[in-house]
């Protein structure tokens, strides 16, 4: 039953009850005795017309949606509502007490001022409540908009990445078609596994590191067909990090970058060293590969590295970081630092 009562009526009941209690308290404090029966009756009549007048004018506000007007109009509306309810409150109270019950009441000026004081407080609370609610709703809508924009940006990045990856993989397979058809068929199977895994994670903002590693292993198996003994891979994965969340295809993109811009440029080939570890409240992933970043690479804004920076920024803000640099004269290191989710 009580759950069906709206917040507005709860506020009406509690507010006027508080007025009744405060009035009795001060009457008792100043006169050192409880009010007589007529005083209680007159207060109940005043409260009845208070509820009637405020509810009547509130209904007008809701009907014409005046509460969402500009600030200037709301200031004018506040004084209009305060005056209107004050007059209705006093006239109703005066008509019942003076005309029907034929009892003496306070002077008209004092009575009207008292009514205005009551209605001013009521409308101050009413407009303050709606101002706070409107700001809260605005903040919620802003957050929803930012979330929607972020999701659209992430989907755009993913849509750009998949064709980029498929193009590179098909180039690798094309090189094998004439040289070794059997290996080409094996490579197509590996590519199918990668695409299947990437499609399963397409709808997710993050995936577990374990799932991401499975895609990387399929990709490196595909590259092993092309590089053979010229490519070696070493994994050093902390088991505690396998269930941690990472952006989908991020690790694969960095490994692909290591192969394309590192290993493939070295005649004798090289190695890729993938690590995942915990450092305090951070998840650190590094990919070290044989090769060197030249000046053009350092200033590059290629799709793979750019998408990595964008997704980390969208998902974690300034709590995540990404850097790629020459570790020494023979090794490049890419490092991703993410907060623990």
């Amino acid at each position: 039953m009580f759950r069906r009562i709206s917040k507005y009526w709860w506020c009406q009941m509690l507010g006027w009850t508080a007025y009744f209690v405060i009035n009795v308290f001060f009457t008792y404090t100043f006169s050192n005795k409880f009010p007589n029966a007529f005083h209680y009756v007159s207060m109940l009549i005043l409260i009845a017309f208070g509820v009637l007048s405020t509810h009547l004018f509130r209904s007008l506000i809701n009907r014409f949606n005046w509460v969402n007007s500009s600030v200037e109009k709301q200031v004018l509306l506040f004084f209009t509502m305060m005056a209107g309810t004050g007059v209705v409150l006093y006239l109703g109270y005066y008509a019942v007490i003076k005309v029907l019950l034929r009892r003496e009441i306070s002077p008209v000026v004092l009575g009207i001022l008292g009514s205005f004081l009551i209605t001013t407080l009521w409308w101050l609370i009413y407009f303050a409540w709606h101002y706070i609610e409107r700001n809260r709703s605005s903040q919620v809508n802003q957050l929803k908009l930012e979330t929607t924009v972020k999701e659209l940006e992430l989907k755009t990045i993913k849509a750009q990445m998949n064709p980029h990856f498929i193009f590179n993989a098909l180039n690798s397979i094309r090189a094998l078609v004439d040289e070794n058809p059997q290996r080409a068929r094996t490579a197509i199977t590996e590519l199918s596994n990668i695409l299947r895994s990437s499609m399963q994670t397409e709808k997710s903002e993050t995936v577990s590191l374990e799932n991401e590693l499975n895609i990387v292993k399929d990709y490196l198996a595909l590259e092993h067909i092309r590089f053979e003994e010229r490519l070696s891979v070493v994994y050093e994965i902390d088991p505690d990090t396998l269930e941690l969340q990472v952006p989908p295809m991020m690790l694969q993109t960095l490994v692909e970058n290591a192969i394309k811009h590192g290993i493939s440029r070295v005649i004798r080939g090289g190695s890729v060293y993938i690590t995942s570890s915990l450092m305090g409240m951070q998840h650190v992933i590094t990919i070290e590969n044989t090769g060197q970043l030249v000046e053009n690479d350092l200033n590059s804004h290629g799709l793979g590295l750019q998408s990595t920076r964008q997704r980390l920024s969208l998902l974690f803000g300034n709590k995540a970081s990404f850097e790629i640099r020459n570790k020494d004269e023979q090794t490049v290191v890419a490092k991703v630092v993410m907060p623990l989710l």
Side-chain angles (χ1 to χ4, degrees):
M1 176 181 177
F2 291 107
R3 292 181 180 178
R4 297 180 181 178
I5 302 176
S6 65
K7 291 181 180 179
Y8 164 72
W9 282 111
W10 274 116
C11 291
Q12 280 278 46
M13 291 186 292
L14 293 175
W16 289 109
T17 300
Y19 169 78
F20 182 87
V21 172
I22 292 172
N23 194 296
V24 172
F25 172 77
F26 279 105
T27 301
Y28 176 80
T29 301
F30 289 113
S31 63
N32 202 26
K33 62 180 181 180
F34 286 104
N36 55 37
F38 176 73
H39 189 86
Y40 288 115
V41 172
S42 65
M43 279 196 298
L44 291 176
I45 294 172
L46 181 69
I47 290 173
F49 280 101
V51 173
L52 178 64
S53 60
T54 53
H55 182 68
L56 175 64
F57 281 89
R58 173 186 174 272
S59 298
L60 289 175
I61 290 178
N62 287 341
R63 180 177 180 180
F64 296 102
N65 198 29
W66 287 335
V67 77
N68 292 321
S69 303
S70 63
V71 176
E72 294 79 7
K73 290 183 178 179
Q74 287 200 33
V75 171
L76 178 61
L77 180 64
F78 168 78
F79 286 105
T80 302
M81 295 297 104
M82 179 269 292
T85 51
V87 170
V88 171
L89 170 61
Y90 180 77
L91 290 179
Y93 176 76
Y94 181 89
V96 173
I97 300 297
K98 186 71 174 179
V99 178
L100 295 181
L101 300 181
R102 299 184 182 278
R103 301 293 295 266
E104 292 296 326
I105 59 175
S106 58
V108 174
V109 175
L110 292 179
I112 293 177
L113 289 177
S115 299
F116 284 173
L117 180 62
I118 295 171
T119 56
T120 298
L121 180 60
W122 196 97
W123 287 109
L124 277 175
I125 296 173
Y126 181 82
F127 278 94
W129 170 274
H130 280 277
Y131 176 79
I132 295 171
E133 281 291 302
R134 189 164 57 250
N135 280 354
R136 187 184 66 83
S137 298
S138 176
Q139 291 174 356
V140 170
N141 291 336
Q142 181 66 25
L143 289 174
K144 289 181 178 179
L145 176 61
E146 292 175 357
T147 301
T148 302
V149 171
K150 185 183 76 170
E151 290 176 353
L152 290 174
E153 289 179 355
L154 288 171
K155 289 179 180 179
T156 301
I157 293 170
K158 290 178 184 178
Q160 292 173 336
M161 284 177 55
N162 284 340
H164 177 262
F165 161 70
I166 294 172
F167 176 77
N168 290 336
L170 289 176
N171 276 341
S172 299
I173 295 173
R174 184 181 62 181
L176 295 173
V177 170
D178 295 328
E179 178 184 341
N180 193 325
Q182 179 60 40
R183 289 188 177 184
R185 285 193 291 270
T186 303
I188 292 173
T189 301
E190 297 293 346
L191 176 59
S192 175
N193 292 336
I194 296 171
L195 293 177
R196 186 182 300 110
S197 298
S198 65
M199 289 176 64
Q200 291 174 351
T201 61
E202 183 70 24
K203 297 180 180 180
S204 303
E205 288 189 359
T206 59
V207 296
S208 69
L209 177 63
E210 185 174 15
N211 289 341
E212 184 75 358
L213 279 172
N214 290 335
I215 297 177
V216 169
K217 290 175 181 178
D218 284 333
Y219 169 76
L220 289 174
L222 175 63
E223 292 300 302
H224 262 297
I225 296 176
R226 182 159 66 103
F227 287 95
E228 297 181 337
E229 69 278 356
R230 292 175 55 223
L231 174 62
S232 65
V233 182
V234 179
Y235 298 94
E236 187 176 327
I237 309 298
D238 185 341
D240 292 335
T241 65
L242 289 175
E243 295 302 318
L244 296 181
Q245 299 295 299
V246 298
M249 303 297 288
M250 181 194 71
L251 182 58
Q252 187 276 334
T253 301
L254 295 178
V255 171
E256 181 184 348
N257 184 76
I259 298 294
K260 181 179 179 181
H261 298 287
I263 306 300
S264 64
R265 293 180 179 180
V266 182
I267 296 177
R268 67 180 184 279
S271 61
V272 177
Y273 185 50
I274 303 172
T275 68
S276 174
S277 60
L278 294 173
M279 292 183 61
M281 296 300 294
Q282 294 178 319
H283 180 198
V284 181
I285 296 176
T286 61
I287 297 94
E288 295 184 14
N289 64 274
T290 304
Q292 282 289 280
L293 286 173
V294 296
E295 190 65 27
N296 290 337
D297 292 329
L298 289 170
N299 296 327
S300 174
H301 295 282
L303 178 62
L305 301 184
Q306 183 180 0
S307 69
T308 298
R309 293 188 178 94
Q310 287 176 331
R311 288 194 292 165
L312 288 172
S313 176
L314 287 169
L315 290 171
F316 306 111
N318 58 8
K319 296 180 180 179
S321 64
F322 168 69
E323 65 170 340
I324 183 169
R325 58 183 174 81
N326 289 323
K327 181 180 180 181
D328 51 41
E329 295 182 354
Q330 296 182 338
T331 309
V332 177
V333 59
K335 182 179 180 180
V336 178
V337 180
M338 296 169 288
L340 297 182
L341 292 178

